[in-house]
Amino acid sequence: MKTGTLLILFALILLSSISQAIAETNIYKHVDKDGNITFTNRRIPNSEKISIASYSRNSEPGPAKSQSNGNAPRVKDTTQKERDTVRRQILQKELSAEEKHFIDTQTHLDQFGDAAEASNPHEKVVQLRNKLFQHQRNITALKKELARL
């Protein structure tokens, strides 16, 4: 009985020390010359030690969270309207390009399907259909975004 109790007590102490060691692990953020970001528990030259609490959902509000509370700097209405106009123009250009790509892909798929019925190169048809679906999805997303403006 005493051995079992001691064994359980030892296991609990071991588990608590392991969890504490894991919680106190240092995390380092390293940005290489190409701009790739690496997070690691090993010290890398030119890396910075970061606080895990700063990445926690339960941490104090940082600058991004405080701006959503109404503390963000105000932009003049005319400036915002100009930005919205430029944004709308960019989205409309993208929408036109996606619609053109959609039509081109559809035409290519129709031509490819007619000419290749005898040999039926299935892989190319599937690729074209996937591309067509992707263009359709982009068109839908762009229209949705334009509707929000």
Side-chain angles (χ1 to χ4, degrees), residues 53-54 56-62 65:
S54 65
S56 172
R57 292 181 185 176
N58 300 327
S59 63
E60 292 296 316
K65 291 183 182 178

Side-chain angles (χ1 to χ4, degrees), residues 4-45:
T5 306
L6 286 175
L7 189 59
I8 292 173
L9 183 60
F10 178 71
L12 289 174
I13 291 171
L14 183 63
L15 286 174
S16 67
S17 64
I18 289 173
S19 65
Q20 185 177 9
I22 291 171
E24 292 179 2
T25 301
N26 294 326
I27 303 294
Y28 299 94
K29 177 182 175 184
H30 177 262
V31 181
D32 67 8
K33 64 182 178 187
D34 297 326
N36 299 318
I37 300 173
T38 303
F39 292 95
T40 181
N41 62 342
R42 296 184 182 153
R43 178 95 171 124
I44 299 175

Side-chain angles (χ1 to χ4, degrees), residues 100-116 121 124-129 131-132 135:
K100 182 184 179 308
H101 291 308
F102 178 83
I103 291 168
D104 291 346
T105 304
Q106 181 69 50
T107 303
H108 190 70
L109 181 63
D110 291 343
Q111 291 172 351
F112 191 82
D114 292 342
K124 184 67 175 174
V125 172
V126 169
Q127 288 175 351
L128 286 170
R129 285 183 182 156
K131 192 174 180 183
L132 194 68
H135 289 307

